[in-house]
Amino acid sequence: MTRSEHTVLRVDDLTVIGRPSHVEIISDVSVSVRRGEILGLVGESGSGKTTLGLSLLAHCKRATAIARGRVEVDGSDLATLSEKGVRRLRGRAVAYIPQSPASALNPALRLRTQLGEALHDASLSRAAALERVREVLREVALPDDDRFLRRYPHQLSGGQQQRVAIAMAFIGRPDVIVLDEPTTGLDVTTQAHVLETIRRMTREYGTAGVYISHDMAVVADLADEIAVMYRGRLVERGRTDEVMAEPRHAYTRRLLSAVPLLRTDGHGPAEETEEPPLLRVSALTAGYGRTRVLEGIDVSVSRGECVALLGESGSGKTTLSRSVAGLHHQFTGGMLFDGRPLARSAYRRTPEQRRRVQYVFQNPYEALNPRKRVRDQILGPYRHLVGRPDDPERVVAEALERAALSSSYADRFPEQLSGGERQRVCIARAVATGPDLMVCDEITSALDVSVQAEIVTLLRNLQDAGMALLFVTHNIALVSNIAQRVAVLNQGRIVEYGPVGRVMAEPRHEYTRALIADTPDFQPSFAATADQVR
């Protein structure tokens, strides 16, 4: 039964400053959320969304502090509580789902232990607590059997890890839940299920949700109200349908215009050519130990072409891409690059082959060395694969510029960057060596829509210059805006393969049709031209 629908979260004039600079990171933010409703908090990377989300738990990042304002959860002002009092509320009254599931899960504990610890209810018997754990796993579309509960986080896919993090937050049925990009790593089918779960649970349990995201399509489908942040301030707030129909602020209109729409023509035709492909994979079968992940994969990528790998979490997309990059060597089958065999392991490939095939990882939090500045992260691979540059600063500046970052980022450490900024550094590092083939593993999943549009433009320019792309993604709309051909994977097999235009307009396989049906149907109703939106 739903708890009474009243305002359970209220934020008044909240300001967070940096230390010791006293620069305002977020300024005079005021929002409120009622029970059973969801507030969508949107804005570009670095706009202050996550800082505000953490403040709702009375938590601040290092070198920041709450300068003034109130954060009330069901009538309790967190600012007036002791640290011990705040800790008692976290998990019970207010819960948080971080953007990176790896940071939310303990690699040394089994799932059953971690979920049980998150329950925070000593009144439940051991059997009742275990049943609650199984129930919440079912709610996020995960197995609830003992075999799954005995697993460790490293034995799960990225999407499964994210769903476990969502389950841990909801298991205690809190009054307020802060969701920081919780569906970033999920395929469209799983995302649709998780979003429906979030929507249903907030309403049934009377939980107030704050959904932080850069995905306007998801927010438009999920949230009751939208609050738009820009440079630490709320520039627009209103009912979702009103903001979508008549955005008042120019920044909101720009965000909506940057969302990629599902197209049925693809990005240019998949032209037939007599020239042999740059990459040819034949009859590839891969696995981990005795477990097979891929079976009989045939795919090719020509110079200047983008081939997208599309499918659910666990379908084998990343295993295929890692095999191509030489990061996974437990496979059989043929692999030719520019007409020559590629060694299974990157360690056995020549420096020139490693330079020509670059990999951009999905998780930017784990892909960067926390002890090195951005400059060194870019120059390290460059020196190893290309040689010592005559002008290192120019190499770094050009790489950052191509990834939509200014040269001022060169002196920063990863901890000083947002998630989206870290991913752009990873892209800059890969592009700096001048590869012929870039394997992109969900590289836009952590980026806001405007930066995503810039990265798509960058990738198109790289294609025009002759670079080939193997593009792993679960974003079908993005596939239709960048790729010429698409391979749809399901349970380790390619079930559909062909030009994007044909696959999107006339999908032949039932699985492909289901993926397209689960894609959020985002159609901005304000007066924007098709060119602006695309």
Side-chain angles (χ1 to χ4, degrees):
M1 189 173 187
T2 304
R3 288 173 283 187
S4 60
E5 294 185 3
H6 68 271
T7 299
V8 67
L9 172 67
R10 185 181 299 278
V11 179
D12 294 318
D13 299 323
L14 183 67
T15 297
V16 176
I17 61 173
R19 285 182 170 177
S21 65
H22 291 279
V23 172
E24 293 187 356
I25 301 171
I26 60 174
S27 305
D28 301 318
V29 172
S30 298
V31 295
S32 61
V33 189
R34 295 186 298 178
R35 291 194 183 276
E37 291 195 348
I38 297 174
L39 172 69
L41 189 62
V42 299
E44 291 179 302
S45 177
S47 63
K49 305 187 304 295
T50 296
T51 298
L52 176 57
L54 290 172
S55 298
L56 304 183
L57 289 87
H59 177 75
C60 291
K61 297 179 181 179
R62 191 172 65 177
T64 66
I66 296 176
R68 60 182 180 272
R70 295 169 59 87
V71 177
E72 291 187 2
V73 176
D74 202 18
S76 298
D77 184 3
L78 302 189
T80 64
L81 298 178
S82 64
E83 179 61 25
K84 185 176 181 180
V86 170
R87 287 178 181 175
R88 280 199 296 264
L89 288 180
R90 291 175 185 156
R92 294 182 176 91
V94 56
Y96 181 80
I97 301 174
Q99 181 175 359
S100 171
S103 65
L105 302 176
N106 188 326
L109 297 181
R110 298 182 189 271
L111 300 182
R112 178 173 179 172
T113 301
Q114 299 194 54
L115 287 163
E117 288 181 348
L119 189 52
H120 299 297
D121 192 344
S123 65
L124 293 177
S125 65
R126 185 174 181 179
L130 180 57
E131 178 53 35
R132 176 61 186 142
V133 167
R134 296 187 194 278
E135 178 186 3
V136 77
L137 286 176
R138 292 192 296 269
E139 288 174 339
V140 294
L142 287 174
D144 66 344
D145 55 89
D146 291 336
R147 182 180 178 183
F148 185 79
L149 287 169
R150 285 196 296 269
R151 291 187 184 182
Y152 291 95
H154 74 271
Q155 296 174 306
L156 308 179
S157 68
Q160 288 174 326
Q161 289 181 345
Q162 189 63 283
R163 280 178 278 172
V164 170
I166 292 171
M168 288 176 63
F170 267 110
I171 194 169
R173 298 177 182 174
D175 295 304
V176 176
I177 188 164
V178 181
L179 306 104
D180 191 356
E181 305 274 11
T183 60
T184 291
L186 305 183
D187 57 82
V188 291
T189 301
T190 305
Q191 174 182 269
H193 184 94
V194 170
L195 292 176
E196 177 57 33
T197 299
I198 292 171
R199 185 185 296 108
R200 174 175 51 80
M201 294 174 74
T202 51
R203 291 175 180 171
E204 287 186 0
Y205 302 144
T207 301
V210 177
Y211 192 95
I212 301 170
S213 182
H214 61 255
D215 193 330
M216 295 294 292
V218 168
V219 171
D221 183 56
L222 177 70
D224 299 287
E225 290 192 355
I226 289 180
V228 183
M229 290 198 71
Y230 179 60
R231 294 184 177 180
R233 294 182 178 274
L234 282 183
V235 296
E236 186 160 356
R237 184 187 173 191
R239 304 297 298 180
T240 299
D241 55 350
E242 296 173 354
V243 173
M244 291 296 167
E246 297 181 7
R248 297 186 301 273
H249 199 278
Y251 177 69
T252 309
R253 292 193 292 272
R254 182 159 67 88
L255 284 181
L256 293 173
S257 298
V259 178
L261 298 183
L262 182 62
R263 300 166 55 172
T264 57
D265 56 347
H267 177 58
E271 298 180 357
E272 297 292 335
T273 176
E274 296 182 359
E275 183 181 357
L278 178 66
L279 172 72
R280 184 187 297 278
V281 177
S282 304
L284 185 141
T285 297
Y288 298 85
R290 296 181 179 180
T291 303
R292 283 193 176 183
V293 177
L294 295 170
E295 186 76 38
I297 299 297
D298 295 301
V299 68
S300 63
V301 187
S302 299
R303 288 174 175 80
E305 181 186 32
C306 176
V307 174
L309 301 179
L310 186 65
E312 291 178 296
S313 175
S315 63
K317 306 187 302 297
T318 295
T319 299
L320 175 55
S321 64
R322 289 174 64 88
S323 298
V324 169
L327 302 177
H328 178 76
H329 56 84
Q330 296 180 38
F331 67 85
T332 60
M335 191 178 298
L336 298 177
F337 185 77
D338 206 7
R340 297 182 179 181
L342 269 181
R344 287 185 175 85
S345 171
Y347 177 76
R348 298 186 178 276
R349 296 179 184 178
T350 67
E352 179 64 9
Q353 286 178 325
R354 292 200 297 271
R355 180 195 69 79
R356 296 182 68 188
V357 181
Q358 287 291 305
Y359 194 98
V360 183
F361 293 89
Q362 176 179 2
N363 189 344
Y365 290 88
E366 298 178 356
L368 297 176
N369 189 327
R371 296 185 177 182
K372 289 188 176 182
R373 298 182 188 274
V374 168
R375 171 186 291 102
D376 299 320
Q377 312 259 8
I378 295 173
L379 289 177
Y382 187 94
R383 292 190 181 107
H384 181 69
L385 299 175
V386 181
R388 187 173 296 276
D390 296 331
D391 188 351
E393 295 304 316
R394 180 181 59 80
V395 170
V396 173
E398 288 181 354
L400 290 173
E401 182 181 355
R402 296 175 77 184
L405 289 174
S406 70
S407 58
S408 64
Y409 283 81
D411 289 321
R412 300 187 188 184
F413 289 95
E415 67 173 9
Q416 297 172 303
L417 307 176
S418 67
E421 289 167 341
R422 295 185 196 206
Q423 188 62 286
R424 281 178 276 173
V425 170
C426 293
I427 295 170
R429 180 174 60 184
V431 171
T433 62
D436 294 311
L437 172 67
M438 193 159 71
V439 183
C440 307
D441 189 1
E442 302 278 11
I443 67 171
T444 60
S445 62
L447 304 181
D448 54 77
V449 289
S450 57
V451 176
Q452 183 183 100
E454 294 174 1
I455 294 299
V456 168
T457 300
L458 161 65
L459 296 178
R460 287 175 176 172
N461 293 337
L462 294 175
Q463 283 183 258
D464 293 339
M467 183 185 293
L469 302 174
L470 190 62
F471 195 85
V472 179
T473 186
H474 59 256
N475 189 330
I476 295 180
L478 201 60
V479 167
S480 65
N481 278 263
I482 190 173
Q484 287 78 46
R485 287 188 294 156
V486 58
V488 182
L489 280 82
N490 182 26
Q491 297 182 351
R493 294 180 180 271
I494 293 179
V495 297
E496 190 150 6
Y497 184 35
V500 171
R502 197 275 300 163
V503 173
M504 295 298 164
E506 300 177 356
R508 297 169 182 171
H509 198 276
E510 181 180 353
Y511 177 73
T512 311
R513 291 193 291 270
L515 287 179
I516 295 175
D518 286 331
T519 302
D521 184 19
F522 181 78
Q523 296 295 334
S525 53
F526 77 102
T529 66
D531 290 338
Q532 284 179 308
V533 175
R534 291 179 184 177

